[in-house]
Every structure is written in C-alpha cells, then in structure tokens.
Amino acid sequence: MSRFKEEEIGTRLRNVESAPQPPSSNAVMHAEAASSNSCRPHLAEQLMKQKNGKRTSDMTLEEMYYNSQYDFGDDEDDDSDWEPSALSAHDVMEIPKWFCLNCTMLNIGDDTHCDVCGEHRESGILKRGFVASASCREGATENGVHAADGLDPLVQSIASDNPTAIGFDERMLLHEEVVMKSHPHPERPDRIRAIAASLATKGRCHPISAREITQAELLKVHSVENVEAVEITSRVFSSYFTPDTYANQYSATAARLAAGLCFDLASAIWSGRAKNGFALVRPPGHHAGVKHAMGFCLHNNAALAVSAAKNAGAKKVLIIDWDVHHGNGTQEIFDKDKSVLYISLHRHEGGKFYPGTGSAYEIGSMGAEGSCVNIPWGRGGVGDNDYIFAFQHVVLPIAAEFDPDFTIISAGFDAARGDPLGGCDVTPAGYAQMTQMCCALSGGKVLVILEGGYNLRSISSSATAVIEVLLGESPKQNAVQVIPSKAGVRAVLEVLKIQLNYWSSLESKFTKLQSEWGWYTLEHKSAGKLKKKKRLEKQLPVWWKWGRRRWLYKLWCKKKIL
C-alpha cells in the first residue's frame, strides 16, 4: 500500500478530522469548506430552508431518511417579526426528547412508545431480537420467559451439523459514526446486533471464521483509488467519503472483514463445505463502485463474492438485488461482463429515488446487453404481491435461461414493512418466498449478503425468515393467487418489452400478460368500486336496505359509485 503525502489526503477524503482524539473534541478539519452539508446539525432548520428546492434523486440517503420524518409545509402566516415577551428562567421548560432504538426517529415528550414504529422506549430487541415484545421494556417477563437472562448472542457459539454457514465478526460493530450529530445515523451497529440476537434463538447454523480480505483480492474488483481511500481512514479519527458515508479508524478493518467473509463464504459454498450461507456483514456494499465509496458502502461485498466463485470454478454467476435502492455500484462493476447476470428490484420513480440509476433501459453494454435487468418500481408502498409477481414473470424465467452456476442475493431489507427509509411493504413471509424461489437455482448454491435495512424489528424478522428457508424450512405463507398492483403490472410489462430482445423465454410471458392487462385493470377498478360502495353504505342508515326506502338506498349508492 503506497503512502499518501499529507497534501494528498484532502483530495482522497472529505471532511477529515484530526488524528485520534477523544469523542468530546469538536475540532473538525474540512477538506472542502463549501461542503458543510456533510454534517447534520440543526437538521430541521436545514430541511425547512430546502423545502422542495432539491430533487429526491439529488438527496443523500440520510436526507431522504430525515425527510420521511419531517414534513414542513408552507406557513400561511409570516411571523418573522414576532418577538417573545421576556421570560424568566423558571418560566422556561425543557421539552424532553429521545430517539427510538428501533427506527432512530425523534420522539418528543415522556411517552414510553415511539410515535413512528410503536417500539417501547426500553426495548429488549438487542438482547432477544424481534422475539422481544415491542410493547414491553427490556428485562420484562414475556410469556413466562425473561428477556435477557445474561445471554450475549454476539459471543455465543452457534454450532450445528446443518450446512448453512453464517458469516459474522464482532469487529464489524466498531464501524460507526463517532462524531455526535443531530440525529443517529441509520446505518449503525445495532442493525446486526438485532439480527444476531434473533439468530441466537435458532442455534442451528454454524459460523465461519473471519479474515480480512487481501489487497490483491480487492484489486480484482476495485481500483487502487478505492482501496487506498478506504485504507487511509484507519489513520484518522473520523472522515467522510460523501455527506452520508462515514468512516472512523476501525472502518477499513470492518470493510475488509465484511468483504473477506463474503469471499470465503462463496468459496465454501462452491466447494461443498457449506450448502448455502448468510453473510451478516456491514458496512454494506452494493453502492460501492470500481473507484468510489458511497451510500454507506465502502467495498462491494457481492462483487467480491462473484470474484471468489469464479476463482473456484463458476462460469456464470447470478446476482439478485432486492434492496429498495438500486445497486449502482454492482451494476457498474459488471456492466460489460456477460458472465454475470445482475437483476435488481428497486424503487426508481423516474430517477427521483436514490441513487437515481436503475432504469429499465439500463441493460448492460459492450456486448453484454441483457446481462443487466432492472425492475424499477414507480412508487412506494410496493409489497409482497408485486415482488413475487415480478419474480414469476421476469426474474425466474431469465434466471432459468441464464442457468447460473452460483447465485448471490444482495439482501437489503429496507423494502420491508416499517422501514422508515424504504417506504415499501414487503413482509418476512414475502422475503421467505423469494428466497425459496432463489434456492431452486444453481443447484441450491446460494449466498445471501446483507445490504440495507434500518428498522431493527423489520430487518431482524426478515433476515431470520430468509435464514429459516436456507435451513430447509418452508415459508410460513404461500401465495395461492398473486394479484399485483396496477403499477406493478405496468413495471413488469415495461421490463418484459425491453428484455425480450435478449431472452427468448420472455416472449410468451409478455404476450400473455399483454392479453391479461385488461383483466388486471378491471380487477383493480372492481376492487376500488367495492371499497367505495362499502364506504358509501356506511353513510346511510342500515335499515334503509330493507325498508320502504331501499330503492333510494340503491339509487344513492349507484349514483355515487358511477
């Protein structure tokens, strides 16, 4: 690793703080004076000033995260000239505030439960995972079982004869934002603490020893610029690659451990030492490109797992990315590689959702057209039915035709129900069904890698549901009839129209779905009318249905619906 000159440090990292110092120090050295938005002081005031002046696609992940909490409308009255009357010291009352452990959202007052997610202020989720009650404080008795009992799942040995391997190392917990801001960072160590606590109740996985990935292995995916930029963070107390992508003196080690675990898990699964695996790692990776770290990601863990699988003998590798954000870094790395098929399902909204990439028309280049398949959702709130419908009509047909030797899932759980950043509605049962469909590919050689997910209860319950499927359990719910939303059908049709030029298996799917478009539209119209009718019926006395005024009742409902 070449040494950086002191004058080059500023060009490599933004907002680097001086060498190791106590956390209470406020001495911060900015590489660029103009980039003051890299910190988050006075967040509410900043958002009020910005209002609608900034497009969503231009926002960082954190700005989008906070916008989901603060919604400042236009003030009708201008009170800029208002001055408070003189108040004595005893008249001033400090309003208590606290941040929710589960979703990190700000709460005002002495309430014991979060206003956003309903989690108890003293939740036991870090000790018992999602099994802990959301309504009880830590240590309370739940169904006769004490929450805690001195159990530390992070150091507990979880060994079993089952060939599902788990990649985890406590040193990844040291990667955190060390400078106090106005709001906790959503990508925090508690994310994997909650999952580890949930997995401790299973006790049916076996761990794989962790090692730091080597520089030579990193350079198979990343440029020297990326490798050295991450490495230099170990010499400073706090630094930022982008306004929302932080590092401290332990982040480089954590990133190398995460990458090393993914690399070795891929090798173990390919060789047969493990049937499948789950990489419980952070920092995440799918936004990290060839040169740049961004979107909370330093090294691209999925891309390095692909490298390991290929080194071991895999000829064709499939990556399925169901994180709510598009994996722009993974797409960039394999854009010209036709031996790697990248399929991403994500919120896009015409490029307005972070990071703005991932259009259905981004298909790969330089002879690798068709090796990139983007399924962009045009709105939030997308749930199980839309995801499973997309799997049935796009993901599985293309994957079967590609016939991969190895499958990697970039498993972000920020599309999960309750996630404050994703704004979607996928349940643990939905993730389990998607995992089961993936396990039918590549002879079951599947590696699941953790990406995003910022609600501790959602991420831990979803990850556990996925691991249960890897262990051989069937999903708790199976969709008998999948009825997608109208927007979901439209998105799938758009993708099919573009990708059928490269995948012959899609032609029948596209033709059939086109013919059924009218049925889906009618189905949604009928469902909408039924809901409206029930709502209108409640506005009139029920006895009108059977009395002398029943004709007026029917006329009223029919007129309002039409």
Side-chain angles (χ1 to χ4, degrees), residues 440-454:
L441 303 169
S442 59
K445 291 183 174 64
V446 176
L447 170 60
V448 182
I449 299 175
L450 181 66
E451 298 286 359
Y454 310 100

Side-chain angles (χ1 to χ4, degrees), residues 536-544 552-554 556-557:
L536 289 170
E537 286 176 351
K538 293 178 182 179
Q539 298 176 8
L540 294 174
V542 178
W543 57 267
W544 278 26
L552 186 59
Y553 184 89
K554 292 179 181 178
W556 164 265
C557 292

Side-chain angles (χ1 to χ4, degrees), residues 209-221:
S209 58
R211 69 170 179 90
E212 296 181 34
I213 199 165
T214 67
Q215 180 179 348
E217 290 166 339
L218 282 172
L219 290 174
K220 293 179 180 179
V221 168

Side-chain angles (χ1 to χ4, degrees), residues 345 375 377 385-396 492:
L345 306 93
I375 305 173
W377 305 126
N385 282 354
D386 283 333
Y387 272 83
I388 293 170
F389 184 79
F391 260 73
Q392 292 173 341
H393 289 78
V394 180
V395 178
L396 294 182
V492 168

Side-chain angles (χ1 to χ4, degrees), residues 311-324:
N311 287 348
K315 302 298 181 184
K316 293 186 291 184
V317 180
L318 167 66
I319 303 174
I320 297 175
D321 188 340
W322 65 46
D323 189 282
V324 78

Side-chain angles (χ1 to χ4, degrees), residues 430-442:
Y431 284 118
Q433 290 176 55
M434 289 189 287
T435 304
Q436 186 180 53
M437 289 186 275
C438 291
C439 286
L441 303 169
S442 59

